[in-house]
Amino acid sequence: MRSNPVCWFEIYVQDMPRAKAFYEGVLEVKLDNLPSPGIEMWAFGMEQDKAGSGGALVHMPGYPSGGNSTLVYFACEDCAVEESRVAKFGGKVDRSKMSIGEYGFISLAVDTEGNMIGLYSQK
């Protein structure tokens, strides 16, 4: 394998304005419209020469959100900071910041569409 194994992620949503507001608010990012026929997509910013994966929020008729087995982790300086904004933007903290030993810390949250997400930081 010549690169990191994950190259893209999609988070399926039912209410795009609500989901977009949640992610932009919690992560303090601006999502960009990604025109696709028959699918509404809003992409997280990505720089090709940087580490990590790109991805988008997706609304596609017939593909529900929530209850899935995919967990996306968002990199943070201190995951407690983003965790502190989850409820304000309509989500729910499932597991507060916890140590994962020498690998750092994680928080688990549920977004406004019922999807579990992870927040990860070294400190």
Side-chain angles (χ1 to χ4, degrees):
M1 188 174 299
R2 296 175 12 186
S3 64
N4 291 327
V6 176
C7 65
W8 184 255
F9 65 86
E10 293 180 346
I11 301 172
Y12 285 77
V13 305
Q14 297 305 301
D15 184 326
M16 185 62 79
R18 177 179 66 193
K20 188 172 169 287
F22 174 83
Y23 284 96
E24 287 181 335
V26 170
L27 300 174
E28 292 188 332
V29 298
K30 174 94 171 87
L31 301 181
D32 301 310
N33 185 262
L34 192 61
S36 301
I39 304 170
E40 184 179 4
M41 298 179 81
W42 287 85
F44 292 87
M46 181 179 162
E47 295 183 43
Q48 294 293 336
D49 62 336
K50 303 279 182 169
S53 171
L57 299 180
V58 177
H59 179 260
M60 184 170 13
Y63 289 85
S65 59
N68 56 23
S69 60
T70 301
L71 185 56
V72 175
Y73 279 88
F74 292 93
C76 309
E77 286 293 317
D78 178 351
C79 60
V81 173
E82 285 77 4
E83 175 188 311
S84 73
R85 295 192 289 257
V86 167
K88 175 183 175 184
F89 289 97
K92 178 179 131 269
V93 174
D94 188 75
R95 179 107 189 221
S96 289
K97 182 179 178 180
M98 62 177 260
S99 172
I100 53 172
E102 64 183 282
Y103 302 106
F105 297 86
I106 63 168
S107 298
L108 297 175
V110 178
D111 74 6
T112 56
E113 307 304 295
N115 298 303
M116 173 98 47
I117 63 167
L119 304 169
Y120 166 79
S121 61
Q122 290 281 321
K123 61 178 185 171

